[in-house]
């Protein structure tokens, strides 16, 4: 096929999850509901951490913020496309979406590794926890995760800018992903593919290795605890994080296997929905329902919000009755 130089006015065509017109309202309502639940749930966690001085968990609040940003790179565009029956995305918007997807996906990966280290220190070195994981160290680890994620995105985006594309600009996905852009490129993608596998492998293996090492040490320490109650308490500290890890890496590997296997091109986007939407929607429930301190903080926050709303309503009706007099 004939290749062409992509300009800033070029358009890509995205894949839709279903062409059935009867399913469009259902998909619209489903993804809108999931997006709102994800954003509101993660916002509540962030507000609870900020409002409660006893919750020294900047890592969890930043993970919630990364979840909001991650899902916001793909789902709002998909919701708009469903409502407007459009499949087009501009070249600049496509690269921007790809870059943000890499940043916040990588940051999720990094922060989960930091949380594993946090659990390791809490269980294996409880007396030194406040010294080792003080707020300055936590914010430094968050900042380091963000810088690495941005550098990763800049590398892949700058290399994607050098690609030329064929006249067929249809992307077999519901959002712009690096792997899908390489598939439709007409220029030589050997270096791009090598860098993709090298950097992605490095940024995937190193955090995962840190997580495995942390939990190996945690299990070893917990098994040395003589009482069953002590073992249960130690494992309950890690319970929510282990569930979050299983969802993140389980759906991530599912997306990878669906994209590399000889499957229908529509199965990969469906697997990606689990990775990009469902996992981040479940995180607020996972990290709050199993954490008594978080539940208490959320209860106080909701009580403050409802009290403020009641005050506003009472003030409104008092002013209304005063005007009638």
């Amino acid at each position: 096929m004939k290749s062409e130089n992509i300009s800033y006015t070029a358009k890509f065509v995205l894949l839709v999850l279903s062409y059935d017109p009867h399913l469009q309202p259902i998909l619209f309502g489903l993804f809108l509901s999931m997006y709102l639940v994800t954003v509101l749930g993660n916002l509540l966690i962030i507000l609870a951490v900020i409002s409660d001085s006893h919750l020294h968990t900047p890592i969890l609040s930043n993970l919630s913020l990364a979840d909001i940003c991650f899902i916001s790179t793909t789902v709002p565009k998909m919701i708009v496309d469903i409502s407007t029956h459009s499949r087009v995305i501009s070249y600049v918007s496509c690269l921007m979406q790809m870059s943000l997807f890499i940043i916040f996906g990588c940051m999720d990966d990094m922060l989960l590794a930091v949380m594993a280290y946090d659990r390791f220190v809490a269980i294996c070195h409880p007396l030194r926890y406040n010294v080792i994981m003080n707020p300055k160290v936590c914010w430094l680890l968050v900042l380091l995760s963000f810088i690495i994620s941005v550098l990763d995105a800049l590398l892949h985006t700058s290399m994607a800018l050098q690609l030329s594309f064929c006249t067929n600009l249809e992307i077999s996905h519901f959002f712009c992903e690096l792997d899908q852009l390489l598939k439709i490129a007409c220029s030589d993608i050997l270096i791009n593919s090598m860098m993709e596998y090298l950097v992605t492998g490095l940024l995937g293996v190193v955090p995962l290795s840190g997580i495995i090492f942390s939990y190996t040490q945690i299990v070893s320490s917990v098994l040395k605890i003589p009482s069953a109650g002590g073992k249960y308490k130690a494992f309950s500290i890690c319970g929510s994080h282990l569930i979050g890890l299983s969802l993140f890496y389980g759906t991530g590997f599912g997306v990878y296997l669906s994209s590399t296997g000889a499957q229908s091109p529509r199965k990969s986007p469906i697997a990606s929905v689990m990775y990009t939407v469902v996992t981040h929607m479940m995180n607020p429930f996972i990290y709050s329902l199993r954490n008594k301190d978080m539940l208490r903080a959320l209860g106080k926050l909701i009580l403050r919000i409802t009290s403020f709303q009641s005050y506003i309503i009472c003030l409104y009706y008092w002013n209304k009755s005063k005007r009638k007099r």
Side-chain angles (χ1 to χ4, degrees), residues 35-47 61-76 104 108 276 280-281 283-284:
Y35 179 70
L36 292 176
V37 168
T38 305
V39 172
L40 291 175
N42 283 291
L43 275 177
L44 281 175
I45 288 180
I46 294 170
L47 292 173
S61 59
N62 279 278
L63 179 66
S64 295
L65 180 61
D67 281 344
I68 292 174
C69 296
F70 185 83
I71 195 173
S72 296
T73 61
T74 57
V75 176
F104 297 113
D108 261 354
T276 58
H280 303 279
M281 182 185 70
N283 278 348

Side-chain angles (χ1 to χ4, degrees), residues 211 215 235 237-248 286-287:
I211 290 169
Y215 274 99
F235 276 123
I237 294 174
C238 306
S240 58
H241 186 237
L242 284 171
I243 296 171
L245 284 172
S246 301
L247 271 175
F248 183 82
I286 293 170
Y287 290 112

Side-chain angles (χ1 to χ4, degrees), residues 177-236:
E177 192 183 32
L178 176 61
D179 188 54
Q180 298 298 326
L181 283 179
L182 295 180
K183 286 180 180 180
I184 64 172
C186 285
S187 55
D188 185 13
I189 61 169
L190 178 61
I191 297 177
N192 297 72
S193 298
M194 288 176 61
M195 290 304 298
E196 180 191 6
Y197 287 113
L198 178 64
V199 176
T200 304
L202 183 65
L203 295 179
V205 170
V206 172
L208 185 59
S209 300
I211 290 169
I212 293 171
F213 172 79
S214 296
Y215 274 99
T216 302
Q217 298 299 311
I218 288 170
V219 171
S220 177
S221 297
V222 170
L223 291 177
K224 294 177 183 177
I225 299 175
S227 66
K231 291 179 180 179
Y232 174 78
K233 184 178 179 181
F235 276 123
S236 66

